[in-house]
């Protein structure tokens, strides 16, 4: 069974959603049969590579949100993140365009380490104040996950990788995705947002049942098996 996940490294709910999905997957009986593919999405493609200001400045100045509302929102999100074992540091967060980080993620997918690199990028951005727009930081992160430094450096500005990232954007539009995280199960069932773990488990079970319907074995003509029900048991 396939699960395609669209998310942005610069999205705080995407890290929380990753944790909740993982928890839901652990409670799914067929978890070993699930193949996960990470897809790119950008909440704000217009961001410069480096934004001179804090996350509060960014949301207040570019999005027009009152600063007190931003602070309250950060407190709420940080509380939700803590509930999933994450330690968000919005004061130390570096606001940067996530495009090159998506390039790294696509390269990681080619080498089978997309999930580990996705985890590392989200943690670096939200917990450790790493500049995800800085090439040197991205190269270092890639190397720590077994990628070749020269290959990472080349991929960060590779037009072919950029095309792959933009194909993810286009596919998201074709699904009508307008926010992330967004989970597509077997190209048929969609789950929007950082839902509770139980919601993901239920969606996976529904998709599995849809793909593996129960086929009733018909009894021989004129015969029926003995069964018990709410009103008692029948004789064979």
């Amino acid at each position: 069974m396939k699960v395609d996940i669209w998310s942005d490294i610069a999205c705080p709910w995407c890290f929380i959603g990753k944790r909740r999905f993982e928890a839901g997957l652990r409670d799914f009986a067929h978890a070993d049969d699930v193949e996960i593919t990470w897809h790119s999405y950008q909440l704000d493609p217009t961001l410069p590579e480096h934004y001179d200001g804090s996350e509060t400045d960014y949301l207040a100045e570019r999005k027009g949100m009152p600063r007190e509302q931003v602070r309250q929102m950060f407190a709420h999100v940080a509380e939700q993140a803590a509930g999933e074992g994450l330690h968000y540091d919005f004061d130390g967060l570096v606001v940067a365009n996530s495009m090159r980080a998506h390039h790294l993620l696509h390269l990681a997918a080619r080498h089978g380490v997309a999930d580990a690199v996705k985890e590392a990028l989200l943690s670096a951005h939200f917990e450790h104040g790493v500049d995800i727009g800085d090439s040197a930081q991205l190269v270092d992160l890639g190397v720590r996950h077994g990628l070749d430094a020269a290959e990472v450096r080349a991929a960060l500005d590779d037009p072919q990788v950029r095309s792959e990232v933009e194909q993810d954007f286009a596919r998201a539009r074709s699904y009508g995705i307008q926010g992330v995280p967004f989970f597509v199960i077997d190209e048929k069932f969609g789950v929007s947002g950082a839902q509770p773990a139980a919601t993901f488990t239920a969606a996976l079970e529904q998709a599995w049942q849809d793909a593996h319907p129960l086929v009733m074995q018909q009894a021989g003509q004129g015969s029926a098996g003995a069964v018990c029900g709410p009103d008692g048991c029948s004789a064979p």
Side-chain angles (χ1 to χ4, degrees), residues 11 42-43 57 83 96 102 117 130-131 189 209 215 226:
C11 162
Q42 273 198 304
L43 294 171
D57 295 332
H102 285 296
V117 169
V130 172
D131 184 350
F189 297 90
Q209 291 169 10
V215 178

Side-chain angles (χ1 to χ4, degrees), residues 104-105 107-119 142 145-147:
L104 174 59
L105 185 61
L107 176 65
R110 295 178 185 176
H111 292 273
V113 291
D115 191 76
V117 169
K118 180 70 173 184
E119 173 79 16
H145 288 83
L147 303 179

Side-chain angles (χ1 to χ4, degrees), residues 151-171:
E151 189 177 7
V152 174
R153 200 171 292 111
L156 296 182
D157 294 298
D158 187 338
Q160 176 58 40
V161 179
R162 176 67 175 251
S163 176
E164 294 174 8
V165 173
E166 290 178 344
Q167 287 173 25
D168 275 355
F169 297 165
R171 192 172 168 196

Side-chain angles (χ1 to χ4, degrees), residues 32-115:
D32 290 342
D33 296 308
V34 175
E35 175 188 344
I36 299 168
T37 301
W38 289 98
H39 295 278
S40 297
Y41 189 96
Q42 273 198 304
L43 294 171
D44 187 358
T46 69
L47 255 177
E49 288 186 12
H50 300 281
Y51 173 79
D52 294 327
S54 66
E55 182 80 343
T56 302
D57 295 332
Y58 165 68
L59 291 174
E61 295 171 8
R62 293 177 67 98
K63 301 297 184 180
M65 296 176 64
R67 288 179 178 272
E68 182 56 32
Q69 180 183 346
V70 173
R71 284 188 284 269
Q72 291 175 1
M73 181 185 71
F74 285 170
H76 172 68
V77 175
E79 181 181 10
Q80 294 295 309
E84 306 302 329
L86 305 175
H87 307 283
Y88 280 10
D89 179 10
F90 285 107
D91 291 333
L93 188 150
V94 178
V95 183
N97 192 295
S98 62
M99 176 56 79
R100 281 200 173 112
H102 285 296
H103 278 227
L104 174 59
L105 185 61
H106 277 253
L107 176 65
R110 295 178 185 176
H111 292 273
V113 291
D115 191 76

